[in-house]
Amino acid sequence: MIQSSACSEVLCRVHGVPEFNVLRESSERNNHKKTSLLLNIFWDNSVFNGNKKIAMNLLGASIFIIAILLFSTFLNWYVFQAVKTLSQQISIERTRNTVQILYWLVFGGISLWYVYTFLKVFITGEFTLSTQTLLNVFLTVVVTQLVCVIFLFSEDIYRNAYAGFAYLSKNRDSFSFPPRKFWISAVAVMVAMIPFFGFLYGMSFGKHNFKLHREVLYFEDLPEAFDGFTITQISDIHIGSFKNPDHVQKGIDMVLAQESDLFVFTGDLVNHRADEIDPFISLFSEIKAPYGQYSIIGNHDYGDYIPWPSKEAKEANFQLFLDKHKELGFKLLRDEGIRIEKDGSFIQLLGVENWGVGFGSRGDLERALEQTAVEDFKILLSHDPSHWDQQVKTHEMGIHLTLSGHTHGMQFGIETPIIRWSPVQYRYPNWAGLAEHEGRFLYVNRGFGFHAFSGRVGIWPEITVIELRRKKL
């Protein structure tokens, strides 16, 4: 994920801290390390003199936290203008003052919570369950306040323009700045409730509101035996984020109901640790398809985003991850290809390790293509859609279809027949659904699970079914 994969990854890349383990709770040993680090930071000047990297990280963290505090305070103040305008309708002054004081106690307290939690994250490098809650609150409050501010700011443009004109054209002694309109503040608050309740829904129900997406793709050189061949794809399970097995089972049942010929999973099985999958192995091992179950590795599966006590511990975790795939019954493709044979014909199914702009380039497409001829019909599993943009779509071997995931659609956006928008589109030109370049296709799955923000708003978890059809010449 940016992600998504996602917000936590962005913080890590900007400020140089490791990404966080959502489920990891601090052990006594880690607490000792944290205490030592805190003492060094605040009492030992040698940290700054002898370790420039830590000093720079602290500087970046400080700038980030100050920016968050200033931004939050600005939003709180702006939205308070609407609260103050609306509360003027309360005739009892004591009640009116109580409402305004409560507003600042609540939202000022939330801002201080931001500062405390982000400071703790930067110091410890851990993303605990309490931090997860904070992130959910942060996104919900900020988006809600921004919607409210849009209305108030628009009103302020009008008020200032009107005031400027009146000041220049009328008697300045009788000039007064126009007050806020009650109805505009009321509309601002009511409209802001839409994203507020949208986020509440996304965190409670949206994250397991699985949607089925179907695509029928036509190819002139598809072997006749594969005309009508179906592939079910899921991606970005991020199983460590799930707490309720019933929610996982709901998605698996939808996969099973498709009865597709082939099943593929396009990476990010876990958040960080291989053992996250343990409680759910029996569920995912239910997935069977006549022509097999295949998978690839996503950027989260390597365990790169959390600290490990040693190189050996990280390698052991990755080996355990590989073993878990065998328990699931998924054939892991690591820069290799395999023939899917049917009625004397075949197609080539290729899989590469993670290759993505900004997320590492372990994958080796040339190696995966070694046993493949130019005329073969080829389907590639590659976790990150930026791989398609950078290498695949113009490759001389002509890869017919690439299946990816990774973006999660940022778990937030709008998808209607008229409007299709998500913040992730400013990072990934192909962030969800189907793309095409000179007869070569990319499909980006929106993800099965969620990460960092424990919800989905507008961009729902997805099961994809691709049907291959032979185009008549």
Side-chain angles (χ1 to χ4, degrees):
M1 145 164 190
I2 273 193
Q3 221 110 127
S4 281
S5 251
C7 301
S8 58
E9 292 177 22
V10 173
L11 290 175
C12 298
R13 294 186 177 279
V14 171
H15 301 293
V17 297
E19 201 193 9
F20 326 114
N21 184 352
V22 172
L23 297 179
R24 186 181 181 193
E25 294 298 336
S26 304
S27 65
E28 292 182 3
R29 180 185 59 189
N30 286 335
N31 283 332
H32 176 72
K33 287 183 178 179
K34 293 177 208 171
T35 304
S36 299
L37 179 58
L38 281 168
L39 290 174
N40 284 336
I41 288 171
F42 292 110
W43 298 106
D44 187 352
N45 288 331
S46 66
V47 171
F48 297 94
N49 297 329
N51 195 326
K52 294 181 180 179
K53 183 178 180 181
I54 291 179
M56 291 303 295
N57 288 346
L58 286 173
L59 177 62
S62 300
I63 293 172
F64 174 80
I65 290 171
I66 291 171
I68 287 290
L69 180 60
L70 292 175
F71 179 61
S72 176
T73 302
F74 169 76
L75 291 179
N76 289 342
W77 172 82
Y78 223 129
V79 173
F80 178 70
Q81 307 311 306
V83 173
K84 186 167 62 174
T85 301
L86 296 176
S87 64
Q88 295 303 317
Q89 303 300 309
I90 301 174
S91 58
I92 303 173
E93 183 178 2
R94 184 175 180 180
T95 304
R96 182 168 62 249
N97 292 339
T98 300
V99 169
Q100 296 178 7
I101 291 171
L102 282 174
Y103 171 86
W104 279 111
L105 286 175
V106 171
F107 288 94
I110 290 175
S111 296
L112 293 176
W113 185 25
Y114 297 160
V115 171
Y116 169 76
T117 303
F118 282 122
L119 179 62
K120 187 170 68 172
V121 165
F122 278 114
I123 291 173
T124 65
E126 290 187 353
F127 197 94
T128 63
L129 195 58
S130 61
T131 317
Q132 177 75 66
T133 302
L134 180 278
L135 182 59
N136 295 339
V137 172
F138 176 78
L139 292 173
T140 303
V141 170
V142 167
V143 173
T144 300
Q145 289 182 324
L146 282 173
V147 172
C148 186
V149 166
I150 288 172
F151 284 87
L152 300 178
F153 183 72
S154 299
E155 181 188 22
D156 284 341
I157 293 175
Y158 168 79
R159 290 170 67 214
N160 280 278
Y162 180 87
F165 178 78
Y167 181 77
L168 294 173
S169 61
K170 296 181 179 180
N171 185 346
R172 297 182 181 181
D173 295 333
S174 62
F175 169 79
S176 63
F177 197 82
R180 291 190 179 277
K181 300 289 187 182
F182 174 86
W183 71 269
I184 293 180
S185 292
V187 169
V189 171
M190 286 188 291
V191 174
M193 289 298 100
I194 296 174
F196 176 76
F197 286 109
F199 270 86
L200 291 184
Y201 174 83
M203 290 182 286
S204 302
F205 306 102
K207 60 188 176 184
H208 47 83
N209 181 25
F210 294 96
K211 299 296 183 183
L212 181 66
H213 291 256
R214 291 184 177 273
E215 295 286 348
V216 180
L217 303 180
Y218 291 85
F219 302 92
E220 292 180 355
D221 54 348
L222 178 71
E224 285 192 24
F226 287 87
D227 188 22
F229 192 83
T230 55
I231 304 168
T232 289
Q233 176 201 10
I234 64 174
S235 191
D236 298 86
I237 293 173
H238 286 285
I239 197 61
S241 298
F242 283 93
K243 306 296 186 298
N244 190 335
D246 291 339
H247 297 160
V248 176
Q249 187 67 59
K250 180 181 178 182
I252 292 173
D253 288 342
M254 186 176 288
V255 170
L256 297 174
Q258 307 317 308
E259 299 182 342
S260 292
D261 297 304
L262 181 70
F263 170 82
V264 297
F265 168 63
T266 47
D268 277 2
L269 177 66
V270 298
N271 291 336
H272 308 286
R273 298 177 180 274
D275 58 9
E276 293 171 18
I277 190 63
D278 285 349
F280 303 94
I281 287 178
S282 61
L283 302 184
F284 282 100
S285 62
E286 296 175 12
I287 298 175
K288 304 294 180 186
Y291 291 86
Q293 306 83 235
Y294 296 90
S295 62
I296 56 171
I297 302 172
N299 56 297
H300 276 266
D301 297 325
Y302 296 101
D304 287 343
Y305 302 126
I306 60 171
W308 295 92
S310 65
K311 179 182 177 182
E312 290 74 19
K314 183 179 179 182
E315 291 174 350
N317 177 76
F318 186 66
Q319 183 57 53
L320 182 62
F321 167 81
L322 301 179
D323 295 339
K324 296 299 180 184
H325 270 265
K326 297 176 183 177
E327 295 183 47
L328 292 169
F330 296 176
K331 166 63 177 174
L332 195 58
L333 299 178
R334 303 182 63 186
D335 299 334
E336 59 187 303
I338 190 167
R339 284 190 174 194
I340 306 296
E341 299 183 350
K342 182 182 181 186
D343 300 336
S345 299
F346 70 91
I347 59 176
Q348 289 280 4
L349 180 65
L350 313 169
V352 293
E353 297 207 25
N354 186 70
W355 195 107
V357 176
F359 289 90
S361 52
R362 290 179 169 93
D364 187 340
L365 181 59
E366 301 305 323
R367 181 181 172 191
L369 286 164
E370 283 179 354
Q371 304 300 318
T372 303
V374 174
E375 63 272 16
D376 293 345
F377 188 91
K378 296 171 282 295
I379 299 173
L380 173 67
L381 309 182
S382 181
H383 178 67
D384 191 318
S386 65
H387 190 203
W388 188 76
D389 292 312
Q390 296 296 318
Q391 289 188 351
V392 178
K393 70 180 181 182
T394 57
H395 197 281
E396 60 185 7
M397 288 290 285
I399 296 171
H400 298 73
L401 171 62
T402 301
L403 301 177
S404 296
H406 181 63
T407 71
H408 301 207
M410 209 168 177
Q411 299 168 209
F412 172 75
I414 302 170
E415 284 195 282
T416 71
I418 300 174
I419 300 174
R420 189 170 182 268
W421 174 88
S422 169
V424 78
Q425 72 188 46
Y426 305 114
R427 172 68 169 82
Y428 290 91
N430 301 304
W431 55 274
L434 191 66
E436 185 265 343
H437 175 77
E438 297 181 356
R440 302 176 185 186
F441 292 93
L442 165 73
Y443 191 89
V444 182
N445 183 284
R446 294 160 180 84
F448 184 97
F450 50 93
H451 183 58
F453 169 55
S454 60
R456 283 181 175 265
V457 181
I459 308 295
W460 313 117
E462 174 181 359
I463 283 85
T464 309
V465 175
I466 305 287
E467 182 178 353
L468 306 179
R469 299 303 301 265
R470 183 178 173 86
K471 184 186 294 185
K472 296 182 179 179
L473 299 177

